[in-house]
C-alpha cells in the first residue's frame, strides 16, 4: 500500500513568534536605553554630576550616556562572533539578560551625596554594560526577523525590531510622566519634585525586571532560522567571523556605518537634545528664579532654552513618536516595493533640508502658543523622517553580508555608527547650542552635514532589494 505524501513542514518559527520575539526584545532594550536617556537629562546631572554649573553637569551626564556607544562595537564583536558561530537564539537571550540586569542595578545605585565620586564611577560601569548588551541586541533581532521573512517581504519584517524604538520610548517616558505626575510638586508641576529626585526616578529602572522576564519567555521559544541552519549544514560557518568580515567585507562595513549615520544623529537630536533645549528655562525665567533664590546670575554666560515644563514637552515628544512608529511600519512595504536605496536617498535628502529649518521651528515667539505649535510641528516632521529612515535599516544592513558574517557585519556597522552619531550627537549639540548663545541653528547645520555623508554612502551602495540571502558572498567577495 502506497503511503500518503508527507505534509510540508511548518516554518521553523511561525510568523507570530518571529514578529513577537524581534519586537518584544528590542522594545525592552530601547526602553532600558530611554530610561537612562531621560534620567540623564532630568536626574543624573544633579544626583551624580553636581558641578555647580548646569551646562557642565549636563555635559558630564551626556558623556556617560555617550560612553555606552563606545562599548557597543565591543558588544557587536562579541555577540556577533557567537551569533555567527553558534546561532542567533543564545546571543539574543544573553544580550537581553545583560541589559536588564544593568538597568535594574542602576535603580539601586547610591548617589554622589552618599558615596561621593564612586556613584559616577558605578554609573559609568553599568552604562558600559548597557551599551555592550545593546551592541548585540539589534542585529540579532533584525536577523531573526529578516532571515525568517517570506520572499519579497524582508524590509517589512525588518521593521518589527525597529518598532521597539518608538514603543520603548512611549513606555519609558509614559512611566516617568506617571511617576512625576503622582508625586507632590510644592514648586509647581513644571519642576521635578523632591520625591522624584529622591526615589521616584528609580522606579522605571527597577520595573525593567518585569519586562525582561516577558522578553526571555518569548525568546527562549525561538529556534534557529532556515538560513543559518543551511549555512551550518553546508559547513560555511567560520571559527573567526570577525576576521572574514574585516578581510573580505571591509567596504560593506564602511558603507553600512555611514548609511546609519544620519539616522543616529537625527534620533538623538529628536530625543535627548530637544528634551534639554525644550525644558531649559529662558533667560528671563532663569534670572527671575535666581533673584527669588538670592543667587547670582550672569545672563552673558547663561545658555537659554524654550522654557517648557517637563510634562508638557514629553507629551509633545510622545505625539511625535507616534508618527515615528507609524512611518517605521509604512517604510517597510515601500522599501520592498521601490527598493531600499531609492527610498533612503529621498528621505536622507529631506533630512538635509530639515536640518536647515531648526531656526524656523525652534526659536521662541512672542506668543507662547505659537511657539508650542511650531515645536510640535518640528517634532512631528522630525519623527516622520526618523521612522522613514530607521524602518528600512532592519533589512538594509543585514543584506550587505552573507550568513556566516551577517550578525558580525551588521552589528559592527550599526554600532560603530553609534559612536560617530549617537555618542557624539548629544555632546556636539550641547556645545553648538552654547556656542550659538542659545540658538539651535548650528545644531541643525550639524544634522545636515551628517546627513550629507549618509547621502554619499547611499550613492556608493548597491540596491539590495532582490538579493538572495543564501547567495550573498557565494564564491568571491560581494561586488559593490
Amino acid at each position: 500500500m502506497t503511503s500518503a505524501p508527507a505534509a510540508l513542514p511548518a516554518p521553523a518559527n511561525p510568523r507570530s513568534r518571529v514578529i513577537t520575539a524581534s519586537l518584544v526584545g528590542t522594545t525592552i532594550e530601547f526602553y532600558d536605553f530611554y530610561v537612562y536617556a531621560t534620567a540623564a537629562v532630568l536626574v543624573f546631572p544633579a544626583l551624580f554630576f553636581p558641578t555647580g554649573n548646569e551646562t557642565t553637569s549636563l555635559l558630564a551626564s551626556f558623556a556617560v550616556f555617550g560612553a555606552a556607544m563606545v562599548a557597543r562595537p565591543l558588544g557587536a564583536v562579541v555577540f556577533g562572533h557567537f551569533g555567527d558561530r553558534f546561532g542567533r537564539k543564545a546571543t539574543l537571550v544573553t544580550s537581553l539578560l545583560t541589559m536588564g540586569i544593568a538597568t535594574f542595578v542602576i535603580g539601586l545605585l547610591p548617589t554622589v551625596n552618599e558615596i561621593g565620586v564612586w556613584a559616577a564611577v558605578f554609573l559609568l560601569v553599568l552604562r558600559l554594560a548597557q551599551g555592550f548588551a545593546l551592541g548585540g541586541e539589534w542585529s540579532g533581532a533584525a536577523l531573526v526577523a529578516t532571515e525568517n521573512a517570506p520572499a519579497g517581504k524582508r524590509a517589512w519584517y525588518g521593521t518589527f525590531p525597529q518598532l521597539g524604538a518608538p514603543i520603548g520610548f512611549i513606555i519609558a517616558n509614559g512611566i516617568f510622566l506617571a511617576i512625576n505626575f503622582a508625586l507632590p510638586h510644592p514648586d509647581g508641576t513644571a519642576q521635578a519634585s523632591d520625591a522624584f529626585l529622591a526615589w521616584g526616578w528609580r522606579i522605571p529602572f527597577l520595573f525593567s525586571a518585569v519586562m525582561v522576564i516577558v522578553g526571555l519567555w518569548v525568546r527562549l521559544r525561538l529556534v534557529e532560522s532556515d538560513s543559518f541552519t543551511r549555512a551550518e549544514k553546508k559547513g560555511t560557518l567560520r571559527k573567526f567571523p570577525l576576521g572574514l568580515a574585516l578581510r573580505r567585507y571591509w567596504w560593506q562595513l564602511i558603507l553600512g556605518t555611514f548609511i546609519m549615520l544620519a539616522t543616529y544623529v537625527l534620533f538623538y537630536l529628536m530625543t535627548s537634545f530637544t528634551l534639554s533645549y525644550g525644558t531649559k528655562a529662558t533667560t528671563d525665567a532663569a534670572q527671575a528664579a535666581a533673584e527669588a533664590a538670592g543667587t547670582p546670575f550672569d545672563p552673558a554666560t547663561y545658555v537659554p532654552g524654550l522654557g517648557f515644563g517637563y510634562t508638557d514637552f514629553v507629551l509633545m515628544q510622545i505625539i511625535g513618536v507616534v508618527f515615528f512608529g507609524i512611518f517605521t511600519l509604512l517604510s517597510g512595504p515601500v522599501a520592498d516595493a521601490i527598493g531600499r536605496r531609492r527610498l533612503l536617498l529621498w528621505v536622507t535628502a529631506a533630512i538635509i533640508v530639515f536640518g536647515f529649518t531648526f531656526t524656523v521651528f525652534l526659536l521662541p515667539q512672542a506668543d507662547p502658543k505659537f511657539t508650542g505649535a511650531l515645536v510640535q510641528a518640528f517634532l512631528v516632521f522630525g519623527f516622520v523622517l526618523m521612522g522613514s529612515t530607521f524602518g528600512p535599516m532592519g533589512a538594509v544592513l543585514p543584506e550587505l553580508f552573507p550568513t556566516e558574517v551577517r550578525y558580525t557585519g551588521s552589528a559592527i556597522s550599526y554600532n560603530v555608527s553609534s559612536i560617530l552619531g549617537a555618542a557624539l550627537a548629544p555632546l556636539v549639540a550641547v556645545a553648538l547650542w552654547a556656542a550659538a548663545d542659545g540658538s539651535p541653528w548650528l545644531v541643525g547645520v550639524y544634522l545636515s552635514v551628517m546627513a550629507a555623508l549618509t547621502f554619499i554612502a547611499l550613492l556608493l551602495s548597491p540596491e539590495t532589494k532582490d538579493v538572495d540571502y543564501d547567495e550573498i558572498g557565494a564564491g568571491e567577495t560581494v561586488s559593490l
Side-chain angles (χ1 to χ4, degrees):
M1 180 177 180
T2 305
S3 60
L8 291 174
N13 291 296
R15 178 187 300 179
S16 60
R17 188 180 302 170
V18 170
I19 292 173
T20 304
S22 60
L23 174 59
V24 169
T26 52
T27 297
I28 295 169
E29 298 280 3
F30 278 107
Y31 165 85
D32 290 350
F33 224 60
Y34 288 137
V35 163
Y36 185 97
T38 302
V41 174
L42 298 178
V43 177
F44 293 158
L47 299 185
F48 290 87
F49 310 101
T51 64
N53 180 282
E54 288 187 12
T55 300
T56 304
S57 295
L58 184 61
L59 281 171
S61 181
F62 275 151
V64 174
F65 177 79
M69 309 305 174
V70 179
R72 284 173 64 163
L74 178 60
V77 170
V78 174
F79 286 110
H81 173 82
F82 287 104
D84 283 329
R85 279 210 66 189
F86 304 111
R88 321 316 194 189
K89 176 180 175 179
T91 53
L92 282 171
V93 170
T94 305
S95 69
L96 186 61
L97 270 175
T98 304
M99 179 66 122
I101 291 171
T103 305
F104 182 82
V105 175
I106 288 175
L108 301 174
L109 277 182
T111 66
V112 70
N113 290 332
E114 296 164 305
I115 60 171
V117 70
W118 284 105
V121 173
F122 290 144
L123 182 64
L124 173 61
V125 170
L126 292 170
R127 183 62 183 152
L128 291 172
Q130 281 188 317
F132 180 80
L134 194 57
E137 163 60 30
W138 176 86
S139 296
L143 298 197
V144 164
T146 58
E147 287 186 345
N148 288 282
K153 293 186 177 180
R154 272 204 308 261
W156 180 54
Y157 268 59
T159 61
F160 288 103
Q162 310 300 77
L163 270 180
I167 294 175
F169 180 93
I170 291 172
I171 295 175
N173 284 281
I175 291 176
F176 265 112
L177 280 177
I179 294 168
N180 193 44
F181 180 77
L183 295 175
H185 290 76
D187 297 323
T189 57
Q191 305 297 320
S193 69
D194 291 338
F196 181 79
L197 289 174
W199 56 268
W201 66 271
R202 300 179 184 273
I203 296 175
F205 289 92
L206 301 177
F207 178 73
S208 67
V210 177
M211 301 182 67
V212 168
I213 292 172
V214 175
L216 287 175
W217 178 78
V218 173
R219 287 192 166 175
L220 286 170
R221 300 175 66 214
L222 284 173
V223 297
E224 291 300 340
S225 68
D226 291 337
S227 181
F228 182 85
T229 302
R230 284 193 293 268
E232 189 174 31
K233 289 179 179 178
K234 291 178 183 177
T236 59
L237 301 184
R238 302 302 179 101
K239 291 183 179 180
F240 187 50
L242 176 62
L244 177 63
L246 294 176
R247 185 177 68 254
R248 180 177 285 187
Y249 300 100
W250 58 271
W251 179 239
Q252 288 90 330
L253 290 171
I254 294 173
L255 283 180
T257 297
F258 282 93
I259 286 172
M260 270 299 303
L261 183 60
T263 303
Y264 265 125
V265 174
L266 176 63
F267 177 69
Y268 284 94
L269 292 185
M270 296 304 300
T271 53
S272 295
F273 170 73
T274 58
L275 182 62
S276 300
Y277 178 69
T279 58
K280 184 80 176 287
T282 63
T283 300
D284 291 342
Q287 186 166 4
E291 290 174 355
T295 57
F297 179 81
D298 183 3
T301 60
Y302 182 74
V303 181
L306 293 176
F308 285 94
Y310 163 70
T311 300
D312 292 338
F313 197 84
V314 171
L315 286 173
M316 294 167 68
Q317 279 190 317
I318 288 175
I319 292 172
V321 170
V322 170
F323 287 87
F324 178 10
I326 291 171
F327 278 80
T328 295
L329 266 184
L330 291 177
S331 67
V334 175
D336 279 328
I338 70 172
R340 293 82 159 105
R341 183 173 177 270
R342 181 184 299 178
L343 172 62
L344 288 173
L345 281 170
W346 280 105
V347 175
T348 304
I351 294 173
I352 294 173
V353 175
F354 179 69
F356 290 108
T357 68
F358 274 44
T359 53
V360 175
F361 292 102
L362 292 183
L363 290 181
Q365 306 295 320
D367 184 353
K369 291 183 178 179
F370 187 44
T371 301
L374 286 175
V375 172
Q376 184 65 79
F378 173 85
L379 292 171
V380 169
F381 291 153
F383 279 118
V384 164
L385 292 172
M386 184 62 216
S388 301
T389 184
F390 189 56
M393 294 299 171
V396 170
L397 298 188
E399 287 171 352
L400 292 173
F401 304 93
T403 304
E404 58 266 29
V405 296
R406 185 169 296 136
Y407 204 134
T408 299
S410 58
I412 290 176
S413 295
Y414 184 83
N415 290 292
V416 171
S417 188
S418 77
I419 295 178
L420 301 178
L424 295 178
L427 295 172
V428 172
V430 171
L432 292 176
W433 173 25
D437 298 324
S439 172
W441 77 271
L442 284 176
V443 180
V445 171
Y446 165 60
L447 172 62
S448 296
V449 171
M450 296 300 102
L453 293 176
T454 289
F455 193 86
I456 294 170
L458 286 167
L459 289 175
L460 297 173
S461 69
E463 175 54 65
T464 56
K465 171 178 174 292
D466 298 316
V467 166
D468 186 331
Y469 253 6
D470 292 335
E471 293 301 318
I472 299 176
E476 300 297 326
T477 303
V478 175
S479 174
L480 293 185

